[in-house]
Amino acid sequence: MASLLDPSTLFFQFDGTRRRILISYWIVILLATPLWWNITSIQRLSLPSSRVNAQAHTTLTFPTTVLLDSSFEESTVVILQQLLEARAPKDLSVIVQSGTQATEPGQYLVTHSSSDDAILSGRQLLFPSTQPLTQLADTLTQLLAPYPALREFRVAQYAPRYRLAFTLLNEDAAAGHFMEGWDIKSALRRHIEPVTTGLSLLHNFTIESQVQFHAPLAFELQPHEDGSFGVTSEDLTVFVNSAEWTLSSSSSNDPVLHFVLFVPSANNRPLNIMSTRGTSIPDSPSGSNIKTVNTFLIPQWGGVVIYNPSSDEEYMTSATLDTVFPSFSHHLLSLLGLPRLPSDLICSNDISDWQLDALLRRRALENNQGAKDILRSTVKLVDQIENMPVGPVVQNDVEAALSALEKLHGLSSLSLVDASRYSAEAVTIASRAFFNPGMLALLYFPPEHRYAVYTPLFASAVIPLFAAAVREIVAWRKQRLQAASQL
Protein backbone atom coordinates (compact mmCIF):
# COMPACT_ATOMS: atom_id res chain seq x y z
CA MET A 1 0.00 0.00 0.00
CA ALA A 2 2.86 2.31 0.81
CA SER A 3 4.32 1.75 -2.65
CA LEU A 4 1.18 3.08 -4.30
CA LEU A 5 1.55 6.40 -2.47
CA ASP A 6 5.01 6.93 -3.95
CA PRO A 7 4.83 8.35 -7.53
CA SER A 8 8.20 6.86 -8.40
CA THR A 9 6.86 3.31 -7.94
CA LEU A 10 4.04 3.69 -10.50
CA PHE A 11 4.97 1.45 -13.41
CA PHE A 12 2.85 3.18 -16.07
CA GLN A 13 4.40 6.67 -15.73
CA PHE A 14 7.92 8.07 -16.01
CA ASP A 15 8.95 10.65 -13.45
CA GLY A 16 10.03 13.20 -16.05
CA THR A 17 6.82 12.95 -18.05
CA ARG A 18 4.64 13.22 -14.97
CA ARG A 19 6.50 16.23 -13.65
CA ARG A 20 6.47 18.03 -17.01
CA ILE A 21 2.68 17.62 -17.16
CA LEU A 22 2.33 19.01 -13.64
CA ILE A 23 4.66 21.92 -14.40
CA SER A 24 2.67 22.73 -17.55
CA TYR A 25 -0.47 23.10 -15.48
CA TRP A 26 1.25 25.56 -13.15
CA ILE A 27 2.73 27.47 -16.08
CA VAL A 28 -0.76 27.92 -17.56
CA ILE A 29 -2.06 29.12 -14.19
CA LEU A 30 0.79 31.60 -13.74
CA LEU A 31 0.45 32.94 -17.27
CA ALA A 32 -3.35 33.31 -16.92
CA THR A 33 -3.14 35.09 -13.56
CA PRO A 34 -2.30 38.55 -15.03
CA LEU A 35 -5.11 38.20 -17.56
CA TRP A 36 -7.56 37.17 -14.85
CA TRP A 37 -6.40 40.04 -12.67
CA ASN A 38 -6.85 42.50 -15.52
CA ILE A 39 -10.35 41.41 -16.54
CA THR A 40 -11.59 41.22 -12.93
CA SER A 41 -10.00 44.44 -11.67
CA ILE A 42 -12.23 47.44 -10.93
CA GLN A 43 -11.63 50.75 -12.66
CA ARG A 44 -11.56 53.41 -10.00
CA LEU A 45 -10.85 56.88 -11.33
CA SER A 46 -10.35 59.78 -8.96
CA LEU A 47 -13.16 62.24 -8.30
CA PRO A 48 -12.61 65.99 -7.78
CA SER A 49 -13.30 65.78 -4.04
CA SER A 50 -11.64 69.10 -3.28
CA ARG A 51 -13.85 70.91 -5.77
CA VAL A 52 -16.94 69.20 -4.40
CA ASN A 53 -16.07 70.18 -0.82
CA ALA A 54 -15.25 73.73 -1.88
CA GLN A 55 -18.53 74.03 -3.78
CA ALA A 56 -20.44 72.79 -0.75
CA HIS A 57 -19.37 75.87 1.24
CA THR A 58 -20.36 78.42 -1.40
CA THR A 59 -23.49 80.52 -1.01
CA LEU A 60 -25.84 81.33 -3.87
CA THR A 61 -27.21 84.87 -3.78
CA PHE A 62 -29.54 86.55 -6.24
CA PRO A 63 -29.16 90.31 -6.55
CA THR A 64 -32.50 92.10 -6.93
CA THR A 65 -33.00 95.71 -7.90
CA VAL A 66 -36.04 97.70 -6.81
CA LEU A 67 -36.47 100.90 -8.80
CA LEU A 68 -38.44 103.82 -7.37
CA ASP A 69 -39.77 106.33 -9.87
CA SER A 70 -39.68 110.10 -9.48
CA SER A 71 -42.85 110.17 -7.38
CA PHE A 72 -40.78 108.99 -4.39
CA GLU A 73 -38.52 111.29 -2.43
CA GLU A 74 -34.78 110.69 -2.47
CA SER A 75 -34.73 109.92 1.24
CA THR A 76 -37.21 107.10 0.63
CA VAL A 77 -34.55 105.12 -1.25
CA VAL A 78 -32.29 104.90 1.80
CA ILE A 79 -35.13 104.13 4.22
CA LEU A 80 -36.63 101.43 2.00
CA GLN A 81 -33.17 99.91 1.50
CA GLN A 82 -32.78 99.52 5.26
CA LEU A 83 -36.27 98.09 5.68
CA LEU A 84 -35.78 95.49 2.95
CA GLU A 85 -32.33 94.46 4.20
CA ALA A 86 -33.87 93.70 7.58
CA ARG A 87 -36.67 91.61 6.02
CA ALA A 88 -35.00 89.87 3.06
CA PRO A 89 -33.51 86.37 3.42
CA LYS A 90 -29.78 85.73 3.10
CA ASP A 91 -30.03 84.39 -0.45
CA LEU A 92 -31.60 87.63 -1.71
CA SER A 93 -29.56 90.80 -2.07
CA VAL A 94 -31.92 93.74 -2.54
CA ILE A 95 -30.68 97.05 -3.94
CA VAL A 96 -33.03 100.05 -3.95
CA GLN A 97 -32.35 102.90 -6.34
CA SER A 98 -34.11 105.44 -8.51
CA GLY A 99 -35.25 104.40 -11.98
CA THR A 100 -38.02 104.45 -14.49
CA GLN A 101 -38.00 101.10 -16.32
CA ALA A 102 -37.62 97.43 -15.30
CA THR A 103 -37.19 95.04 -18.19
CA GLU A 104 -35.05 92.16 -16.91
CA PRO A 105 -35.83 89.45 -14.35
CA GLY A 106 -34.59 90.69 -11.01
CA GLN A 107 -35.53 94.31 -11.73
CA TYR A 108 -38.79 95.73 -10.42
CA LEU A 109 -40.34 99.16 -10.68
CA VAL A 110 -42.46 100.72 -7.94
CA THR A 111 -44.63 103.73 -8.67
CA HIS A 112 -47.19 105.63 -6.68
CA SER A 113 -50.84 105.18 -7.51
CA SER A 114 -53.90 107.23 -6.65
CA SER A 115 -55.91 104.03 -6.22
CA ASP A 116 -56.52 102.51 -2.81
CA ASP A 117 -55.41 99.08 -4.04
CA ALA A 118 -51.95 97.81 -4.94
CA ILE A 119 -51.82 96.64 -8.55
CA LEU A 120 -49.30 94.43 -10.36
CA SER A 121 -48.59 95.07 -14.02
CA GLY A 122 -45.67 93.12 -15.43
CA ARG A 123 -42.70 93.85 -13.16
CA GLN A 124 -44.28 97.08 -12.01
CA LEU A 125 -46.00 97.60 -8.68
CA LEU A 126 -48.52 100.43 -8.46
CA PHE A 127 -48.63 101.17 -4.76
CA PRO A 128 -51.12 103.50 -3.05
CA SER A 129 -49.47 106.77 -2.08
CA THR A 130 -51.50 106.85 1.13
CA GLN A 131 -49.92 103.68 2.51
CA PRO A 132 -46.90 103.94 4.84
CA LEU A 133 -43.42 102.92 3.74
CA THR A 134 -43.38 99.97 6.11
CA GLN A 135 -46.40 98.55 4.30
CA LEU A 136 -44.55 98.89 1.00
CA ALA A 137 -41.56 97.05 2.47
CA ASP A 138 -43.82 94.24 3.71
CA THR A 139 -45.50 93.94 0.31
CA LEU A 140 -42.16 93.84 -1.54
CA THR A 141 -40.85 91.21 0.88
CA GLN A 142 -43.91 89.02 0.25
CA LEU A 143 -43.42 89.39 -3.49
CA LEU A 144 -39.65 88.90 -3.63
CA ALA A 145 -39.28 86.24 -0.91
CA PRO A 146 -42.67 84.54 -0.54
CA TYR A 147 -41.40 81.17 0.64
CA PRO A 148 -41.08 80.41 4.35
CA ALA A 149 -38.75 77.46 3.64
CA LEU A 150 -36.70 76.17 0.75
CA ARG A 151 -38.61 72.88 0.60
CA GLU A 152 -42.34 72.50 1.15
CA PHE A 153 -43.89 69.12 1.70
CA ARG A 154 -46.70 69.57 -0.82
CA VAL A 155 -44.50 70.84 -3.67
CA ALA A 156 -43.39 68.18 -6.15
CA GLN A 157 -39.69 67.57 -6.53
CA TYR A 158 -38.21 69.46 -9.44
CA ALA A 159 -38.11 67.74 -12.81
CA PRO A 160 -37.51 69.26 -16.25
CA ARG A 161 -40.46 67.28 -17.64
CA TYR A 162 -43.81 66.36 -16.11
CA ARG A 163 -46.71 64.28 -17.31
CA LEU A 164 -50.13 65.61 -16.37
CA ALA A 165 -52.68 62.80 -16.21
CA PHE A 166 -56.36 63.85 -16.12
CA THR A 167 -58.77 61.04 -15.32
CA LEU A 168 -62.57 60.96 -15.24
CA LEU A 169 -63.21 58.23 -12.72
CA ASN A 170 -66.65 56.62 -12.34
CA GLU A 171 -66.91 54.72 -9.09
CA ASP A 172 -69.31 52.11 -10.48
CA ALA A 173 -70.87 52.47 -13.91
CA ALA A 174 -72.92 49.30 -13.34
CA ALA A 175 -75.07 51.22 -10.83
CA GLY A 176 -76.29 53.49 -13.63
CA HIS A 177 -76.25 57.27 -14.12
CA PHE A 178 -72.53 57.45 -14.83
CA MET A 179 -70.53 59.93 -16.90
CA GLU A 180 -69.79 58.62 -20.35
CA GLY A 181 -67.31 61.31 -21.34
CA TRP A 182 -66.15 64.90 -20.99
CA ASP A 183 -65.14 67.85 -23.13
CA ILE A 184 -61.57 67.70 -21.91
CA LYS A 185 -59.90 69.50 -24.80
CA SER A 186 -61.70 72.80 -24.31
CA ALA A 187 -61.17 72.66 -20.54
CA LEU A 188 -57.46 72.06 -20.96
CA ARG A 189 -57.21 74.90 -23.45
CA ARG A 190 -58.89 77.42 -21.14
CA HIS A 191 -57.57 76.39 -17.72
CA ILE A 192 -54.37 74.32 -18.04
CA GLU A 193 -52.59 75.65 -21.11
CA PRO A 194 -52.17 79.17 -19.63
CA VAL A 195 -50.36 77.55 -16.68
CA THR A 196 -48.13 75.28 -18.77
CA THR A 197 -47.31 78.16 -21.11
CA GLY A 198 -46.44 80.47 -18.24
CA LEU A 199 -44.14 77.87 -16.67
CA SER A 200 -42.50 76.75 -19.92
CA LEU A 201 -39.23 78.35 -18.79
CA LEU A 202 -38.98 75.73 -16.06
CA HIS A 203 -40.77 72.62 -17.31
CA ASN A 204 -41.97 70.77 -20.37
CA PHE A 205 -45.40 69.20 -19.99
CA THR A 206 -47.04 66.18 -21.59
CA ILE A 207 -50.80 65.96 -21.07
CA GLU A 208 -52.87 62.79 -21.23
CA SER A 209 -56.48 62.00 -20.33
CA GLN A 210 -58.65 58.95 -19.88
CA VAL A 211 -62.10 57.82 -18.71
CA GLN A 212 -62.62 54.83 -16.43
CA PHE A 213 -65.88 53.20 -15.46
CA HIS A 214 -65.01 51.16 -12.39
CA ALA A 215 -63.03 52.65 -9.52
CA PRO A 216 -64.22 51.27 -6.17
CA LEU A 217 -63.22 52.91 -2.92
CA ALA A 218 -61.18 51.03 -0.33
CA PHE A 219 -63.36 52.11 2.61
CA GLU A 220 -67.01 52.37 3.58
CA LEU A 221 -68.74 55.70 3.14
CA GLN A 222 -70.55 57.28 6.08
CA PRO A 223 -74.25 57.93 5.41
CA HIS A 224 -76.01 60.94 6.96
CA GLU A 225 -79.59 61.50 7.98
CA ASP A 226 -80.37 63.64 4.96
CA GLY A 227 -79.34 60.86 2.56
CA SER A 228 -75.92 62.26 1.67
CA PHE A 229 -72.59 60.54 2.20
CA GLY A 230 -69.44 61.92 3.78
CA VAL A 231 -65.74 61.27 3.58
CA THR A 232 -63.79 62.04 6.73
CA SER A 233 -60.29 63.46 6.87
CA GLU A 234 -59.00 60.03 7.88
CA ASP A 235 -60.56 58.49 4.77
CA LEU A 236 -58.74 60.97 2.54
CA THR A 237 -55.44 59.24 3.31
CA VAL A 238 -56.70 56.08 1.58
CA PHE A 239 -59.11 57.67 -0.88
CA VAL A 240 -56.88 56.90 -3.87
CA ASN A 241 -57.19 53.16 -4.33
CA SER A 242 -53.88 52.47 -6.05
CA ALA A 243 -54.46 48.71 -6.00
CA GLU A 244 -57.53 48.90 -8.26
CA TRP A 245 -57.25 52.27 -10.00
CA THR A 246 -55.17 52.44 -13.16
CA LEU A 247 -54.38 56.13 -13.38
CA SER A 248 -51.30 56.11 -15.61
CA SER A 249 -51.96 55.06 -19.20
CA SER A 250 -48.42 55.27 -20.59
CA SER A 251 -44.93 54.30 -19.52
CA SER A 252 -42.31 56.99 -19.02
CA ASN A 253 -39.58 57.96 -16.61
CA ASP A 254 -41.05 61.45 -16.23
CA PRO A 255 -42.84 62.11 -12.93
CA VAL A 256 -46.62 62.14 -13.16
CA LEU A 257 -49.02 64.60 -11.54
CA HIS A 258 -52.51 63.12 -11.32
CA PHE A 259 -55.76 65.06 -11.49
CA VAL A 260 -58.78 62.90 -10.77
CA LEU A 261 -62.41 63.88 -11.32
CA PHE A 262 -64.21 61.33 -9.19
CA VAL A 263 -67.89 60.63 -9.89
CA PRO A 264 -69.57 58.61 -7.09
CA SER A 265 -71.89 55.81 -8.01
CA ALA A 266 -75.60 56.52 -8.11
CA ASN A 267 -76.00 54.76 -4.75
CA ASN A 268 -73.48 57.04 -2.99
CA ARG A 269 -74.68 60.49 -4.05
CA PRO A 270 -74.28 63.18 -3.02
CA LEU A 271 -70.78 62.58 -1.70
CA ASN A 272 -68.92 65.34 0.13
CA ILE A 273 -65.63 65.67 1.94
CA MET A 274 -66.36 66.56 5.55
CA SER A 275 -64.03 68.78 7.56
CA THR A 276 -64.40 70.02 11.12
CA ARG A 277 -62.62 72.41 13.37
CA GLY A 278 -63.13 70.21 16.40
CA THR A 279 -62.29 66.61 17.15
CA SER A 280 -65.62 65.04 16.26
CA ILE A 281 -67.93 65.05 13.25
CA PRO A 282 -71.66 65.43 13.81
CA ASP A 283 -74.06 62.99 12.24
CA SER A 284 -75.68 65.59 10.02
CA PRO A 285 -73.77 67.80 7.59
CA SER A 286 -75.93 70.70 8.67
CA GLY A 287 -74.04 71.06 11.95
CA SER A 288 -72.71 74.48 12.84
CA ASN A 289 -69.07 73.41 12.99
CA ILE A 290 -68.95 71.49 9.73
CA LYS A 291 -68.72 72.39 6.07
CA THR A 292 -68.59 70.41 2.84
CA VAL A 293 -65.91 70.73 0.19
CA ASN A 294 -65.42 68.73 -2.97
CA THR A 295 -61.71 68.94 -3.65
CA PHE A 296 -58.46 68.13 -1.90
CA LEU A 297 -54.75 68.14 -2.71
CA ILE A 298 -52.43 65.19 -2.24
CA PRO A 299 -48.88 66.50 -1.65
CA GLN A 300 -46.45 65.72 -4.48
CA TRP A 301 -49.05 63.48 -6.14
CA GLY A 302 -51.94 65.52 -7.54
CA GLY A 303 -55.48 66.65 -6.81
CA VAL A 304 -58.93 65.10 -6.56
CA VAL A 305 -62.30 66.73 -7.24
CA ILE A 306 -65.53 64.95 -6.33
CA TYR A 307 -68.39 65.75 -8.68
CA ASN A 308 -72.01 64.83 -7.98
CA PRO A 309 -73.91 64.94 -11.30
CA SER A 310 -77.61 65.30 -11.66
CA SER A 311 -79.70 62.22 -12.43
CA ASP A 312 -80.09 63.08 -16.13
CA GLU A 313 -76.48 64.14 -16.74
CA GLU A 314 -74.38 61.73 -18.81
CA TYR A 315 -71.74 63.94 -20.42
CA MET A 316 -69.63 66.67 -18.85
CA THR A 317 -69.89 69.69 -21.09
CA SER A 318 -67.47 72.55 -21.34
CA ALA A 319 -69.65 74.68 -19.07
CA THR A 320 -69.67 71.97 -16.40
CA LEU A 321 -65.91 71.53 -16.54
CA ASP A 322 -65.48 75.28 -16.06
CA THR A 323 -66.63 74.72 -12.48
CA VAL A 324 -64.14 71.91 -11.93
CA PHE A 325 -60.94 72.77 -13.75
CA PRO A 326 -60.17 75.96 -11.80
CA SER A 327 -59.50 73.61 -8.88
CA PHE A 328 -57.17 71.52 -11.03
CA SER A 329 -55.38 74.66 -12.17
CA HIS A 330 -54.94 75.73 -8.55
CA HIS A 331 -53.69 72.26 -7.62
CA LEU A 332 -51.16 72.30 -10.45
CA LEU A 333 -49.79 75.69 -9.42
CA SER A 334 -49.51 74.53 -5.80
CA LEU A 335 -47.73 71.30 -6.76
CA LEU A 336 -45.24 73.18 -8.91
CA GLY A 337 -44.49 75.64 -6.12
CA LEU A 338 -45.84 78.89 -7.59
CA PRO A 339 -46.17 81.34 -4.69
CA ARG A 340 -49.43 83.02 -3.87
CA LEU A 341 -49.83 86.75 -4.21
CA PRO A 342 -50.73 88.82 -1.14
CA SER A 343 -54.48 89.02 -0.72
CA ASP A 344 -54.54 92.83 -1.01
CA LEU A 345 -52.90 92.83 -4.46
CA ILE A 346 -54.71 93.01 -7.79
CA CYS A 347 -53.24 91.17 -10.78
CA SER A 348 -54.97 90.48 -14.09
CA ASN A 349 -52.57 87.72 -15.20
CA ASP A 350 -52.79 84.06 -14.18
CA ILE A 351 -49.06 84.06 -13.44
CA SER A 352 -47.40 87.39 -12.74
CA ASP A 353 -43.76 88.13 -13.52
CA TRP A 354 -43.13 88.56 -9.79
CA GLN A 355 -44.40 85.05 -9.09
CA LEU A 356 -42.43 83.53 -11.96
CA ASP A 357 -39.20 85.23 -10.87
CA ALA A 358 -39.72 84.07 -7.29
CA LEU A 359 -40.31 80.52 -8.53
CA LEU A 360 -37.17 80.66 -10.70
CA ARG A 361 -35.11 81.76 -7.68
CA ARG A 362 -36.66 79.10 -5.49
CA ARG A 363 -36.04 76.28 -7.95
CA ALA A 364 -32.49 77.49 -8.58
CA LEU A 365 -31.76 77.50 -4.84
CA GLU A 366 -33.41 74.11 -4.40
CA ASN A 367 -31.53 72.55 -7.32
CA ASN A 368 -28.28 74.16 -6.21
CA GLN A 369 -28.56 72.65 -2.75
CA GLY A 370 -29.75 69.32 -4.14
CA ALA A 371 -26.83 69.07 -6.57
CA LYS A 372 -24.35 69.86 -3.79
CA ASP A 373 -25.86 67.22 -1.51
CA ILE A 374 -25.82 64.59 -4.26
CA LEU A 375 -22.20 65.31 -5.19
CA ARG A 376 -21.11 65.12 -1.54
CA SER A 377 -23.00 61.85 -1.15
CA THR A 378 -21.32 60.46 -4.26
CA VAL A 379 -17.83 61.32 -3.02
CA LYS A 380 -18.62 60.00 0.45
CA LEU A 381 -19.99 56.74 -0.94
CA VAL A 382 -16.92 56.19 -3.11
CA ASP A 383 -14.62 56.87 -0.15
CA GLN A 384 -16.50 54.48 2.13
CA ILE A 385 -16.61 51.55 -0.33
CA GLU A 386 -13.03 50.89 -1.40
CA ASN A 387 -13.98 48.62 -4.29
CA MET A 388 -16.62 50.96 -5.67
CA PRO A 389 -16.00 51.27 -9.44
CA VAL A 390 -15.66 54.81 -10.77
CA GLY A 391 -15.58 54.88 -14.55
CA PRO A 392 -15.03 57.77 -16.94
CA VAL A 393 -18.79 58.30 -17.28
CA VAL A 394 -19.20 58.96 -13.55
CA GLN A 395 -16.07 61.10 -13.44
CA ASN A 396 -17.24 63.20 -16.38
CA ASP A 397 -20.73 63.60 -14.90
CA VAL A 398 -19.34 64.82 -11.58
CA GLU A 399 -17.09 67.32 -13.34
CA ALA A 400 -19.96 68.45 -15.58
CA ALA A 401 -22.21 68.98 -12.56
CA LEU A 402 -19.50 71.05 -10.88
CA SER A 403 -19.09 73.12 -14.03
CA ALA A 404 -22.84 73.74 -14.15
CA LEU A 405 -22.78 74.85 -10.51
CA GLU A 406 -19.92 77.23 -11.22
CA LYS A 407 -21.82 78.70 -14.17
CA LEU A 408 -24.90 78.99 -11.97
CA HIS A 409 -23.03 81.09 -9.42
CA GLY A 410 -21.48 83.18 -12.16
CA LEU A 411 -24.80 83.93 -13.87
CA SER A 412 -26.94 84.47 -10.75
CA SER A 413 -26.33 88.22 -11.01
CA LEU A 414 -26.76 88.41 -14.80
CA SER A 415 -29.62 86.20 -15.94
CA LEU A 416 -32.17 84.56 -13.69
CA VAL A 417 -33.40 82.32 -16.51
CA ASP A 418 -29.91 81.05 -17.35
CA ALA A 419 -29.13 80.52 -13.67
CA SER A 420 -32.26 78.41 -13.29
CA ARG A 421 -31.34 76.43 -16.40
CA TYR A 422 -27.84 75.64 -15.11
CA SER A 423 -29.22 74.68 -11.70
CA ALA A 424 -31.53 72.15 -13.36
CA GLU A 425 -28.62 70.84 -15.41
CA ALA A 426 -26.44 70.49 -12.31
CA VAL A 427 -28.95 68.48 -10.28
CA THR A 428 -29.85 66.29 -13.28
CA ILE A 429 -26.24 65.39 -14.07
CA ALA A 430 -25.34 64.91 -10.40
CA SER A 431 -28.27 62.50 -9.99
CA ARG A 432 -27.18 60.63 -13.11
CA ALA A 433 -23.70 60.20 -11.67
CA PHE A 434 -24.98 59.00 -8.30
CA PHE A 435 -27.36 56.45 -9.83
CA ASN A 436 -24.93 55.21 -12.46
CA PRO A 437 -25.61 51.48 -13.00
CA GLY A 438 -21.90 50.64 -12.75
CA MET A 439 -21.78 52.06 -9.24
CA LEU A 440 -25.07 50.66 -8.07
CA ALA A 441 -24.13 47.11 -9.07
CA LEU A 442 -21.50 46.84 -6.35
CA LEU A 443 -23.98 47.85 -3.67
CA TYR A 444 -25.69 44.51 -4.26
CA PHE A 445 -22.48 42.49 -4.85
CA PRO A 446 -20.01 43.18 -2.02
CA PRO A 447 -16.57 41.50 -1.73
CA GLU A 448 -17.95 38.75 0.50
CA HIS A 449 -20.13 37.58 -2.36
CA ARG A 450 -17.17 37.42 -4.70
CA TYR A 451 -15.26 35.24 -2.26
CA ALA A 452 -18.30 32.97 -2.03
CA VAL A 453 -18.33 32.62 -5.82
CA TYR A 454 -14.60 32.23 -6.49
CA THR A 455 -13.75 29.87 -3.62
CA PRO A 456 -15.81 26.85 -4.79
CA LEU A 457 -14.75 27.51 -8.39
CA PHE A 458 -10.97 27.63 -7.92
CA ALA A 459 -10.49 25.56 -4.77
CA SER A 460 -11.57 22.32 -6.46
CA ALA A 461 -8.95 22.85 -9.20
CA VAL A 462 -6.05 24.36 -7.26
CA ILE A 463 -6.02 22.06 -4.22
CA PRO A 464 -5.32 18.82 -6.22
CA LEU A 465 -2.58 20.60 -8.20
CA PHE A 466 -1.06 21.95 -5.02
CA ALA A 467 -1.15 18.52 -3.36
CA ALA A 468 0.40 16.90 -6.43
CA ALA A 469 3.17 19.51 -6.52
CA VAL A 470 3.99 18.93 -2.85
CA ARG A 471 4.01 15.20 -3.36
CA GLU A 472 6.36 15.47 -6.37
CA ILE A 473 8.73 17.74 -4.48
CA VAL A 474 8.88 15.30 -1.58
CA ALA A 475 9.50 12.39 -3.99
CA TRP A 476 12.19 14.33 -5.84
CA ARG A 477 14.01 15.13 -2.57
CA LYS A 478 13.94 11.46 -1.59
CA GLN A 479 15.44 10.52 -4.91
CA ARG A 480 18.21 13.07 -4.43
CA LEU A 481 18.95 11.76 -0.95
CA GLN A 482 19.04 8.15 -2.17
CA ALA A 483 21.37 9.04 -5.01
CA ALA A 484 23.64 10.93 -2.65
CA SER A 485 23.78 8.00 -0.18
CA GLN A 486 24.75 5.57 -2.92
CA LEU A 487 27.75 7.69 -3.79
Side-chain angles (χ1 to χ4, degrees):
M1 182 61 115
S3 61
L4 294 178
L5 297 179
D6 188 359
S8 61
T9 62
L10 296 178
F11 64 92
F12 56 85
Q13 187 181 54
F14 294 102
D15 292 342
T17 303
R18 183 179 62 253
R19 290 169 183 173
R20 282 192 293 270
I21 294 174
L22 183 60
I23 292 174
S24 65
Y25 276 108
W26 281 104
I27 291 175
V28 171
I29 292 176
L30 294 177
L31 293 177
T33 298
L35 177 62
W36 169 80
W37 183 266
N38 182 59
I39 63 177
T40 59
S41 62
I42 296 176
Q43 187 180 26
R44 187 178 171 87
L45 302 179
S46 61
L47 294 179
S49 303
S50 58
R51 292 178 60 192
V52 171
N53 295 329
Q55 190 64 242
H57 294 88
T58 58
T59 302
L60 181 61
T61 304
F62 290 98
T64 303
T65 304
V66 176
L67 304 176
L68 303 181
D69 70 349
S70 57
S71 62
F72 289 89
E73 299 179 358
E74 294 183 0
S75 59
T76 305
V77 175
V78 179
I79 298 175
L80 185 60
Q81 176 76 50
Q82 296 174 351
L83 292 175
L84 290 178
E85 287 179 353
R87 290 169 168 78
K90 296 181 180 179
D91 52 63
L92 192 65
S93 175
V94 182
I95 301 174
V96 182
Q97 60 187 29
S98 299
T100 58
Q101 190 175 9
T103 58
E104 297 294 332
Q107 294 183 353
Y108 308 95
L109 178 63
V110 181
T111 61
H112 270 148
S113 171
S114 58
S115 174
D116 294 334
D117 298 319
I119 303 174
L120 288 182
S121 177
R123 290 187 174 85
Q124 182 180 7
L125 171 62
L126 303 175
F127 195 76
S129 58
T130 57
Q131 295 290 336
L133 199 58
T134 54
Q135 181 63 33
L136 174 59
D138 292 337
T139 301
L140 288 173
T141 303
Q142 295 177 28
L143 289 172
L144 297 176
Y147 300 105
L150 185 60
R151 282 288 298 159
E152 293 185 35
F153 176 67
R154 67 177 180 177
V155 177
Q157 187 176 1
Y158 174 82
R161 294 179 299 274
Y162 286 106
R163 282 197 301 126
L164 308 182
F166 293 86
T167 305
L168 174 58
L169 214 58
N170 291 281
E171 181 185 2
D172 188 6
H177 303 296
F178 62 92
M179 304 306 297
E180 297 179 356
W182 55 348
D183 189 7
I184 183 67
K185 290 184 179 180
S186 61
L188 291 175
R189 183 173 58 254
R190 288 193 302 275
H191 300 283
I192 303 301
E193 285 187 6
V195 176
T196 57
T197 302
L199 299 179
S200 59
L201 289 175
L202 278 167
H203 312 285
N204 292 325
F205 297 94
T206 302
I207 300 177
E208 62 183 37
S209 64
Q210 62 176 335
V211 179
Q212 294 191 18
F213 300 96
H214 182 69
L217 296 173
F219 58 91
E220 294 293 332
L221 296 175
Q222 295 186 0
H224 295 285
E225 294 180 356
D226 62 351
S228 65
F229 294 84
V231 180
T232 64
S233 57
E234 291 80 7
D235 294 333
L236 295 181
T237 59
V238 293
F239 188 90
V240 177
N241 189 358
S242 301
E244 299 187 49
W245 296 3
T246 306
L247 298 179
S248 183
S249 60
S250 61
S251 59
S252 173
N253 292 328
D254 299 335
V256 183
L257 299 179
H258 297 278
F259 301 93
V260 177
L261 180 56
F262 184 81
V263 179
S265 67
N267 300 327
N268 295 330
R269 299 176 191 167
L271 176 63
N272 296 302
I273 302 172
M274 318 308 295
S275 62
T276 62
R277 297 180 182 178
T279 57
S280 61
I281 299 178
D283 294 335
S284 173
S286 62
S288 59
N289 66 330
I290 192 169
K291 63 179 180 179
T292 60
V293 293
N294 292 322
T295 179
F296 64 96
L297 177 72
I298 302 178
Q300 303 186 33
W301 186 87
V304 178
V305 174
I306 298 177
Y307 178 72
N308 297 293
S310 58
S311 58
D312 57 347
E313 188 176 2
E314 296 181 352
Y315 184 84
M316 300 195 71
T317 63
S318 176
T320 302
L321 292 178
D322 285 341
T323 65
V324 174
F325 265 74
S327 296
F328 285 153
S329 176
H330 175 72
H331 290 162
L332 178 58
L333 292 174
S334 299
L335 290 169
L336 296 179
L338 190 75
R340 296 182 180 180
L341 292 174
S343 58
D344 55 348
L345 281 180
I346 299 176
C347 181
S348 59
N349 298 328
D350 295 329
I351 301 176
S352 68
D353 292 337
W354 298 71
Q355 291 174 291
L356 184 58
D357 291 350
L359 181 58
L360 287 172
R361 286 191 292 267
R362 175 214 178 99
R363 287 302 194 181
L365 290 169
E366 178 184 324
N367 292 336
N368 172 68
Q369 187 61 43
K372 290 180 181 179
D373 293 341
I374 294 173
L375 289 176
R376 284 188 298 178
S377 299
T378 303
V379 172
K380 184 178 180 180
L381 183 65
V382 171
D383 292 340
Q384 287 181 344
I385 304 179
E386 297 181 355
N387 293 327
M388 173 71 74
V390 179
V393 175
V394 175
Q395 186 185 52
N396 293 336
D397 283 345
V398 171
E399 293 178 350
L402 288 172
S403 299
L405 286 176
E406 293 171 355
K407 293 178 181 178
L408 162 63
H409 286 262
L411 293 173
S412 61
S413 59
L414 301 177
S415 174
L416 186 57
V417 176
D418 290 339
S420 177
R421 178 169 57 86
Y422 279 115
S423 72
E425 180 181 336
V427 72
T428 301
I429 298 177
S431 299
R432 187 175 64 191
F434 184 80
F435 293 104
N436 184 274
M439 295 179 62
L440 290 178
L442 194 61
L443 296 178
Y444 304 98
F445 197 68
E448 292 79 5
H449 289 188
R450 287 189 296 171
Y451 300 149
V453 171
Y454 285 137
T455 300
L457 180 64
F458 291 108
S460 59
V462 174
I463 291 178
L465 289 175
F466 182 79
V470 171
R471 187 174 57 185
E472 288 294 333
I473 292 174
V474 171
W476 176 75
R477 293 187 63 183
K478 287 184 178 179
Q479 291 177 356
R480 293 289 300 271
L481 292 176
Q482 290 177 359
S485 63
Q486 291 177 358
L487 294 175

